[in-house]
Amino acid sequence: MFIIEQTHTAGSSHQNPDTSQRTYHLPMSVGIIGLLIIAAVLLVIAAVAVVVVVAVRASSRATPIAPRNDLAARVRWLKTSGRTEQAIHLVCGETGMDQMAATRFVESL
C-alpha cells in the first residue's frame, strides 16, 4: 500500500514542480505470507533457469541424426550393387515416372 503525500507552498495559485514535494511510504513488514510468496517465485525462477541450462547442455552433447539418403543416393547404391531393375522400380514408385523415364534416370546416374 502506497501512501502519497503532496505538499505545496502557501500562496501558490499554480503547481510549481520546484516547490512541490512527494513522499512515498512503503510498509516495512511484508509478513510471513509475503515472504512465502517471494520465496516461491524465486524458487520457480531458479527451477526454470536450471531446466534451461540442462536442456542447452544436453542438446550440445546430442549425437547428430544421420541424414536420410535422397532418392538419387538410394538409386546409385542399388545400381552399384547390381540391382538396376530394383532401382528402376524404386524410381517409378517414388516419382510416378513411367518405365522408360525411370530407366533413363537410373542410367544417367
Side-chain angles (χ1 to χ4, degrees):
M1 172 186 222
F2 290 104
I3 301 172
I4 301 175
E5 296 175 1
Q6 191 169 12
T7 57
H8 296 284
T9 57
S12 174
S13 62
H14 66 281
Q15 186 177 1
N16 186 350
D18 295 332
T19 59
S20 66
Q21 180 182 6
R22 289 188 181 173
T23 306
Y24 300 96
H25 298 281
L26 297 174
M28 292 311 234
S29 65
V30 177
I32 191 72
I33 294 176
L35 289 175
L36 290 174
I37 291 172
I38 291 170
V41 168
L42 291 175
L43 186 63
V44 167
I45 291 171
V48 168
V50 167
V51 167
V52 167
V53 168
V54 168
V56 167
R57 286 187 180 174
S59 68
S60 66
R61 286 182 289 192
T63 56
I65 299 172
R68 185 176 174 157
N69 291 336
D70 60 307
L71 177 62
R74 290 183 285 163
V75 169
R76 277 189 208 98
W77 183 81
L78 287 170
K79 186 177 174 184
T80 58
S81 300
R83 298 162 49 186
T84 305
E85 193 62 35
Q86 282 183 322
I88 294 169
H89 287 293
L90 176 66
V91 171
C92 288
E94 292 281 326
T95 64
M97 289 183 189
D98 63 354
Q99 185 87 17
M100 289 299 293
T103 302
R104 284 193 302 270
F105 176 76
V106 169
E107 288 173 356
S108 71
L109 295 177

